[in-house]
């Protein structure tokens, strides 16, 4: 009997997921544990592995389809094995046409049969439309033949239909005289519309993890009053302290004791001292936590993820170091699960390795604070009557000004600075 590939549940709040890309085609052999499809939730993009060896008999959901958690999105079985009628495509991912679709099957538009009539005897190029795009177009009275597809092989995606809807809305709100003036001036070819006089351009629809990040960042900026304050900490002594500490842990491969580890531990201590920063805001209620659940931003090729160290205030410096290292490795290998990236109360983001000093980190909702770590730089300063070379770490704190005022935010940053400048307090 065929084995189902089901839409996984990546977090407690996840009720449905979106198919991003099939890595295998119907008819391809697959091995148990091999990645066959990429799906995404509102927080993460993840590969789904084959539950058994066999042949990918059927793909039950196309890219851009939204499927309820637990529903089958594909089937694996023996070669030439038939699939019972009751194993039909789930309603939420079913195309409105009667055609069965797989990544190798072109979905032919049948809303206007005359469009595909051919009197020349030559093959007719079929219109490729994702089910989500077709459904949206039908509900918005949009003719899919008017839509320019930007997906693979010219496939029309939901984003393409949304662009047409937006354009028509603007047209309705623009006087006829202005519309005509705009038409007279607009480029006549697709390449001119992209970049005037240059067709050497790659158009990539935003999707998957990048789409999730885009939506969350825009929502964060639109729904909070974000303010960033900055400060530097003299970490000359901390760097010396770090070198000595690393010598003590040189036999433990999973303990690196990086500057980020020290900053993380110092941040935890500062949050315990200033608990208002260890809060979340849902638009109505402020939740202040006794435990510190620290998010550590990790950069990936596809975007950014924020795994969470739960109850970080109960951990020693070496334990914090181990957690950060393990989370970073898991994130880059795609091993993080949904629960690993929810529930943070404060986040740290670092651009130090990129040579950036100060920057403006964007809040990770519903948190009300995020710390940005810059690149350490050298500076000559007076120490008494002599000039010494000291090393400074840039700190950028973004906070929600609806909940926290400048004074308590600066007090938190001052406490963090004190811990970093007197490193023995971090480990006591």
């Amino acid at each position: 009997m065929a084995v189902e590939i089901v839409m996984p549940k990546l977090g407690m709040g996840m009720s449905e997921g979106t198919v991003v890309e099939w890595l295998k085609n119907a008819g391809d052999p697959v091995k148990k544990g091999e990645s066959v499809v990429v799906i995404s939730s509102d927080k993460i993009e993840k590969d789904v592995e084959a539950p058994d060896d066999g042949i990918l008999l059927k793909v039950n959901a196309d890219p851009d389809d939204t499927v309820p958690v637990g529903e089958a999105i594909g089937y694996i079985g023996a070669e030439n094995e038939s699939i019972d009628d009751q194993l039909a495509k789930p309603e939420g991912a079913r195309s409105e046409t009667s055609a069965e679709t797989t990544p190798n099957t072109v979905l032919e538009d049948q809303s206007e049969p005359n469009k595909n009539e051919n009197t020349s005897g030559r093959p007719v190029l079929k219109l490729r439309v994702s089910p989500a795009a077709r459904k949206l177009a039908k509900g918005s009275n949009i003719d899919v033949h008017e839509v320019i597809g930007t997906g693979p092989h010219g496939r029309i995606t939901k984003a393409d239909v949304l662009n047409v809807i937006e354009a028509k809305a603007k047209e309705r709100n623009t006087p006829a005289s202005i519309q005509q003036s705009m038409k007279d001036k607009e480029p006549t070819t697709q390449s001119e519309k992209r970049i005037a006089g240059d067709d050497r351009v790659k158009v990539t629809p935003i999707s998957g993890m990048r789409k999730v990040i885009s939506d969350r960042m825009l929502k964060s900026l639109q729904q909070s009053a974000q303010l960033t304050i900055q400060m530097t900490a003299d970490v000359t002594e901390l760097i010396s302290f770090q070198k000595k500490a690393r010598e003590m842990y040189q036999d433990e491969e999973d303990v690196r004791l990086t500057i980020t580890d020290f900053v993380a531990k110092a941040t935890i201590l500062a949050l315990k001292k200033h608990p208002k920063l260890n809060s979340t805001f849902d638009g109505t209620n402020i939740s202040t936590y006794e435990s510190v659940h620290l998010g550590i931003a990790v950069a990936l090729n596809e975007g950014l993820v924020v795994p969470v160290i739960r109850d970080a205030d109960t951990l020693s410096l070496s334990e914090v170091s181990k957690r950060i290292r393990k989370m970073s490795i898991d994130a880059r290998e795609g091993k993080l699960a949904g629960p690993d990236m929810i529930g943070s109360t404060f986040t740290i983001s670092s651009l130090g390795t990129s040579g950036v000093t100060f920057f403006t980190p964007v809040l990770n909702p519903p948190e009300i604070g995020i710390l940005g770590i810059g690149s350490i730089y050298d500076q000559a300063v007076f120490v008494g009557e002599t000039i010494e070379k000291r090393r400074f770490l840039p700190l950028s704190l973004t906070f929600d000004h609806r909940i926290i005022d400048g004074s308590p935010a600066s007090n938190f940053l001052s406490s963090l600075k004190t811990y970093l400048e007197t490193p023995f307090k971090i480990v006591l």
Side-chain angles (χ1 to χ4, degrees):
M1 182 175 179
V3 178
E4 295 181 343
I5 305 172
V6 301
M7 177 62 69
K9 188 178 183 67
L10 303 181
M12 294 299 294
M14 180 178 171
S15 60
E16 59 183 19
T18 301
V19 175
V20 177
E21 176 188 8
W22 282 94
L23 305 177
K24 295 286 185 178
N25 295 324
D28 287 350
V30 297
K31 295 183 178 180
K32 183 177 181 180
E34 182 179 12
S35 296
V36 292
V37 61
V38 182
I39 62 97
S40 68
S41 68
D42 61 344
K43 293 180 178 292
I44 184 176
E45 185 174 297
K46 185 176 179 63
D47 289 4
V48 177
E49 298 176 349
D52 205 349
D53 295 340
I55 302 296
L56 180 57
L57 299 174
K58 180 181 179 183
V59 168
N60 222 35
D62 293 322
D64 296 332
D65 282 354
T66 299
V67 182
V69 167
E71 293 284 357
I73 57 177
Y75 300 94
I76 295 174
E79 189 171 3
N80 299 323
E81 179 178 353
S82 62
I83 302 176
D84 297 335
D85 291 338
Q86 64 266 29
L87 298 181
K89 182 183 290 187
E91 190 67 27
R94 185 178 297 148
S95 167
E96 293 184 9
T97 68
S98 60
E100 267 187 15
T101 60
T102 71
N104 285 336
T105 302
V106 177
L107 182 61
E108 179 178 1
D109 176 51
Q110 298 177 354
S111 59
E112 296 184 38
N114 291 335
K115 293 281 185 178
N116 291 312
E117 290 182 356
N118 182 14
T119 60
S120 66
R122 284 177 287 183
V124 176
L125 183 62
K126 297 179 180 180
L127 189 64
R128 300 168 184 264
V129 189
S130 78
R134 185 181 297 280
K135 183 176 181 180
L136 177 61
K138 182 177 180 180
S140 305
N141 294 319
I142 300 294
D143 182 355
V144 290
H145 297 89
E146 298 177 358
V147 183
I148 298 175
T150 61
H153 307 293
R155 190 167 185 267
I156 296 173
T157 67
K158 184 177 179 181
D160 297 327
V161 178
L162 288 171
N163 288 336
V164 173
I165 294 173
E166 182 180 355
K168 286 184 177 292
K170 290 181 179 178
E171 185 175 329
R172 286 193 298 269
N173 296 324
T174 303
S177 59
I178 297 179
Q179 289 183 33
Q180 186 58 48
S181 175
M182 293 171 62
K183 288 180 180 179
D184 292 341
K185 295 179 180 179
E186 71 178 6
T188 57
T189 67
Q190 185 64 18
S191 61
E192 287 174 341
K193 290 178 182 178
R194 294 170 180 169
I195 298 178
D198 188 355
D199 60 357
R200 296 168 299 176
V201 56
K202 178 181 179 182
V203 178
T204 304
I206 186 170
S207 62
M209 181 182 292
R210 190 72 263 162
K211 181 66 165 63
V212 173
I213 294 172
S214 173
D215 292 341
R216 284 178 60 82
M217 292 297 96
L218 181 60
K219 183 178 179 181
S220 173
L221 290 169
Q222 288 176 333
Q223 299 185 0
S224 59
Q226 301 192 25
L227 177 65
T228 302
I229 58 176
Q230 299 168 331
M231 193 176 290
T232 58
D234 185 338
V235 292
T236 309
E237 302 302 328
L238 174 60
I239 292 173
S240 298
F241 187 87
Q242 175 209 15
K243 290 180 180 179
K244 295 177 182 178
R246 290 184 72 166
E247 291 176 0
M248 296 177 61
Y249 287 93
Q250 61 182 345
D251 295 331
E252 297 191 33
E253 294 183 358
D254 54 349
V255 179
R256 292 294 182 89
L257 292 184
T258 64
I259 291 297
T260 298
D261 297 339
F262 280 93
V263 174
K265 182 61 178 179
T267 299
I268 295 165
L269 296 172
L271 287 171
K272 295 295 288 185
K273 195 171 182 179
H274 304 275
K276 285 187 177 181
L277 266 296
N278 191 46
S279 302
T280 59
F281 181 53
D282 62 6
T284 303
N285 300 308
I286 304 170
S287 301
T288 302
Y289 297 80
E290 291 186 8
S291 297
V292 177
H293 306 306
L294 189 65
I296 304 291
V298 179
L300 308 177
N301 291 334
E302 302 83 7
L304 194 73
V305 294
V306 184
V308 182
I309 304 176
R310 301 195 180 279
D311 299 309
D313 52 305
T314 65
L315 304 178
S316 67
L317 174 63
S318 61
E319 290 171 331
V320 169
S321 177
K322 289 179 182 179
R323 295 284 185 91
I324 292 177
R325 177 166 169 74
K326 183 178 186 305
M327 290 191 314
S328 298
I329 293 174
D330 288 349
R332 295 187 176 99
E333 294 180 351
K335 295 180 180 179
L336 290 176
D340 295 328
M341 289 177 286
I342 59 175
S344 56
T345 56
F346 190 90
T347 293
I348 294 177
S349 179
S350 175
L351 291 177
T353 56
S354 301
V356 174
T357 50
F358 292 104
F359 63 102
T360 304
V362 177
L363 288 177
N364 182 25
E367 299 169 15
I368 63 171
I370 180 171
L371 177 70
I373 308 172
S375 179
I376 295 174
Y377 64 91
D378 296 337
Q379 183 172 317
V381 297
F382 277 101
V383 179
E385 296 298 322
T386 62
I387 297 178
E388 293 185 8
K389 183 180 80 170
R390 308 292 291 182
R391 311 200 71 183
F392 290 88
L393 178 67
L395 304 171
S396 303
L397 174 68
T398 296
F399 59 95
D400 192 337
H401 211 334
R402 297 175 300 171
I403 312 303
I404 297 292
D405 293 326
S407 180
S410 62
N411 290 339
F412 164 81
L413 207 52
S414 295
S415 292
L416 176 59
K417 171 185 170 76
T418 299
Y419 281 118
L420 295 174
E421 293 184 340
T422 51
F424 68 90
K425 290 185 178 181
I426 298 176
V427 296
L428 289 181

